[in-house]
Amino acid sequence: MQIIHHGAVNGVTGSCHQLDINTQSSILIDCGLFQGAETAGKSAIEQLPIEFELSNIQALIVTHCHIDHVGRIPYLLAAGFNKPIYATVATAALLPMVIEDALKIGVTQNHRMIKLYLKKLQQLITPIEYNQWFALELNAPLSNNAVNNANPGHQANTYNQANAKFKPAGHILGSAYVEIDLYNSAASKNKHTNKNKAKHRVVFSGDLGATNTPLLASPKSPYRADTLVIESTYGDKNHQGRKQRSESLRKVIEKSVADNGVVLIPAFSIGRTQELLYELEQLIHQYQHKNEMWQHIEVIIDSPMAAKFTEHYLQFKALWDNEAKRKLTQHRHPLDFEQLYTVGSHQEHLTTIDYLCKRNKPAIVIAASGMCTGGRIQNYLARLLGDPTTDIIFAGYQAQGTTGREIQTYGSRGGYSIIDGKKITIKAGVHTVSGYSAHADQHNLINFVKGMRVKPTLIRIVHGDNDAKAALAEEYKKLLPNAKIEIGKN
């Protein structure tokens, strides 16, 4: 058994991990798109090809449908992949929309070709409920008999059977971490074989959610992991507490709109947008009688995809946290409140920007992409980044090399950003409210391992900047001095 990484080792994007179970059978966990600095010096064509061998890949397991975890699936299909794609029920419902958007932006506008891709995708998707074991079909190891004849004791380490299970990750709707149990069926039946040698559990964390997110339940640690592959996005940082971050958001918004300017919040369509809507509804409910501004301020969602995903969040209310469910019983609608406006067509989008530029009334605009690398947020930035009455709130991670990281880093220094080929001096106010990340922080990541009854002997750290991975590795070494702690490499 070995694990090979095809992404998310030099940063936080392009997640794609290959679990080689035996000489003839491998499983892919995610197949995501590279973004930001990880695309530097490469054309779109150079970034996307599937350069690893597919002949032994028996399945793709999708942890969740953020683009950095699923964006290369069209290229996987184009390369000839024709095996099951396993996902949770909610992720299976969202995935076709994400892939359709990825095709339109990065591959083709040809409707017939898009339809063919989506048809193939639908044929391969296999929805699986949380906490339900499912079998992964494997090929027998090519040299199994030869190896066992030469060394019968080796059989216990030759895996020919694998089962997997999704557990809630609390990151976005449908997100999961994955437990994969590897067996040698013959050795398992042999009463003289040590059962622990005949079975090995590998856990892939996907993206773990923070414990203070209001919409989704926090992830719980698995009972056991022998090998753990874990993300480290915030491996060197801890988030603000729930009350602190809400208060920070309130203060930033109230200060930002004092000059009747526009507040721009870049946010991914899945997860972050819904979390922000939930929090804004709470602030309106709590402060509308204390500050008249909260009674009238418009909250604009300028993202058709975000609107579609919000509908799915409403559809899958059973996955919400208890706090969110209680609001529904109080006849409150945390994702669909009175002051919320959704922008649909591209023409509406352009009209909205003109409207906001000409009027003298505050508004909050939430638009994708979350790292300002594309999407409608770029048009807002092109028009409003040079306006001192504009404020930008970053409520999520900004990867190295992205426009969002540029603005976040240089905005307070009177720097500039290049948007759509034009140099724009940053006159807008720039704010970061760290507590709204949908990713677990260092404390959460450590507790995820602490909570395991049977702890890993090998931890492979991926999906983080170098400092974050190194800091988390040191913490894991303190926690498990006898375990092997590695930082993933290509």
Side-chain angles (χ1 to χ4, degrees):
M1 186 208 78
Q2 67 172 337
I3 299 169
I4 302 168
H5 306 288
H6 304 299
V9 288
N10 297 320
V12 301
T13 68
S15 285
C16 185
H17 312 290
Q18 178 177 327
L19 174 63
D20 288 344
I21 297 173
N22 61 42
T23 54
Q24 293 294 291
S25 300
S26 303
I27 303 295
L28 279 186
I29 293 85
D30 291 335
C31 194
L33 200 65
F34 292 101
Q35 296 172 296
E38 294 168 80
T39 65
K42 296 180 180 179
S43 68
I45 298 299
E46 292 172 317
Q47 297 164 30
L48 297 167
I50 302 300
E51 297 178 335
F52 47 90
E53 179 59 46
L54 293 181
S55 58
N56 291 337
I57 304 294
Q58 300 301 305
L60 167 65
I61 295 176
V62 174
T63 63
H64 66 288
C65 59
H66 270 153
I67 200 72
D68 61 322
H69 288 255
V70 301
R72 277 188 284 169
I73 289 179
Y75 296 87
L76 192 68
L77 299 179
F81 181 78
N82 194 35
K83 298 290 185 177
I85 298 175
Y86 296 105
T88 66
V89 175
T91 296
L94 296 171
L95 188 57
M97 288 190 291
V98 176
I99 296 303
E100 181 178 4
D101 193 60
L103 286 166
K104 288 177 179 176
I105 293 173
V107 182
T108 180
Q109 291 288 326
N110 185 306
H111 293 294
R112 182 174 176 273
M113 187 176 290
I114 290 170
K115 190 175 180 179
L116 289 172
Y117 267 107
L118 295 178
K119 182 179 179 181
K120 185 64 179 176
L121 180 68
Q122 291 283 18
Q123 290 171 349
L124 299 180
I125 292 175
T126 304
I128 303 289
E129 297 284 354
Y130 283 117
N131 301 308
Q132 174 182 309
W133 286 106
F134 57 98
L136 299 170
E137 291 188 17
L138 305 181
N139 293 322
L142 186 64
S143 57
N144 200 38
N145 292 333
V147 170
N148 290 336
N149 289 336
N151 181 10
H154 187 273
Q155 188 178 35
N157 293 319
T158 304
Y159 301 115
N160 58 15
Q161 184 177 338
N163 295 327
K165 178 167 65 173
F166 289 117
K167 301 288 286 293
H171 177 60
I172 64 168
L173 186 70
S175 61
Y177 67 85
V178 186
E179 299 179 356
I180 303 176
D181 277 0
L182 310 179
Y183 303 87
N184 179 286
S185 55
S188 298
K189 294 174 184 177
N190 187 336
K191 64 181 180 181
H192 300 295
T193 301
N194 184 323
K195 294 298 186 291
N196 287 330
K197 288 185 178 180
K199 176 181 175 181
H200 189 92
R201 177 169 292 179
V202 186
V203 174
F204 289 86
S205 74
D207 286 352
L208 295 174
T211 55
N212 59 356
T213 53
L215 262 175
L216 301 175
S218 302
K220 295 179 180 178
S221 303
Y223 175 84
R224 169 185 177 178
D226 299 304
T227 296
L228 171 65
V229 178
I230 192 163
E231 67 125 319
S232 59
T233 312
Y234 285 97
D236 57 345
K237 295 180 179 67
N238 286 308
H239 301 320
Q240 288 177 304
R242 176 85 184 277
K243 289 184 178 179
Q244 288 177 300
R245 75 178 191 187
S246 180
E247 184 65 8
S248 295
L249 183 64
R250 180 185 69 83
K251 287 180 177 178
V252 168
I253 290 174
E254 288 183 352
K255 181 179 179 181
S256 299
V257 302
D259 56 7
N260 286 327
V262 176
V263 176
L264 300 179
I265 308 181
F268 290 111
S269 299
I270 321 170
R272 187 66 42 73
T273 292
Q274 291 76 27
E275 299 281 359
L276 286 166
L277 289 181
Y278 184 97
E279 201 77 331
L280 290 168
E281 188 275 342
Q282 176 62 29
L283 288 172
I284 290 169
H285 178 78
Q286 188 173 351
Y287 289 98
Q288 60 185 330
H289 301 300
K290 301 177 184 178
N291 185 334
E292 189 177 345
M293 178 275 293
W294 288 106
Q295 295 179 25
H296 306 294
I297 192 164
E298 295 172 327
V299 179
I300 299 169
I301 300 296
D302 193 346
S303 168
M305 182 172 283
K308 291 178 185 177
F309 290 134
T310 301
E311 289 175 9
H312 278 80
Y313 266 77
L314 293 166
Q315 178 185 342
F316 287 97
K317 291 192 288 284
L319 300 178
W320 288 13
D321 199 357
N322 288 333
E323 176 192 319
K325 290 176 182 176
R326 282 196 298 271
K327 291 191 177 182
L328 294 175
T329 64
Q330 298 165 4
H331 304 291
R332 288 171 58 186
H333 302 281
L335 300 182
D336 187 19
F337 47 93
E338 188 177 347
Q339 290 160 243
L340 179 63
Y341 301 87
T342 301
V343 176
S345 70
H346 183 66
Q347 186 55 52
E348 284 181 88
H349 160 68
L350 297 178
T351 302
T352 300
I353 295 176
D354 288 339
Y355 166 67
L356 292 174
C357 288
K358 293 173 183 176
R359 73 175 200 166
N360 187 33
K361 183 182 176 184
I364 299 168
V365 178
I366 302 173
S369 77
M371 297 183 193
C372 306
T373 52
R376 292 183 174 184
I377 191 66
Q378 286 212 324
N379 291 331
Y380 284 97
L381 293 171
R383 292 284 296 276
L384 295 167
L385 192 59
D387 185 342
T389 69
T390 301
D391 287 87
I392 303 166
I393 299 177
F394 290 106
Y397 185 81
Q398 303 300 306
Q400 292 183 12
T402 61
T403 303
R405 177 69 77 93
E406 271 186 8
I407 296 170
Q408 191 178 48
T409 303
Y410 300 109
S412 59
R413 308 178 197 174
Y416 66 89
S417 183
I418 305 294
I419 298 174
D420 199 21
K422 296 179 181 178
K423 177 180 175 181
I424 300 174
T425 301
I426 304 169
K427 296 181 181 179
V430 180
H431 316 270
T432 298
V433 183
S434 65
Y436 283 97
S437 174
H439 284 272
D441 62 12
Q442 185 188 77
H443 183 71
N444 298 148
L445 294 169
I446 292 169
N447 282 345
F448 187 72
V449 175
K450 273 186 179 179
M452 298 177 189
R453 294 287 295 274
V454 181
K455 293 181 171 58
T457 55
L458 169 63
I459 298 179
R460 183 83 58 85
I461 300 172
V462 296
H463 199 288
D465 292 334
N466 290 336
D467 290 347
K469 287 185 287 195
L472 187 61
E474 288 304 311
E475 293 301 319
Y476 282 147
K477 288 173 185 176
K478 295 176 192 174
L479 178 65
L480 300 173
N482 296 322
K484 187 175 183 180
I485 313 298
E486 298 179 344
I487 291 176
K489 298 177 182 178
N490 283 325

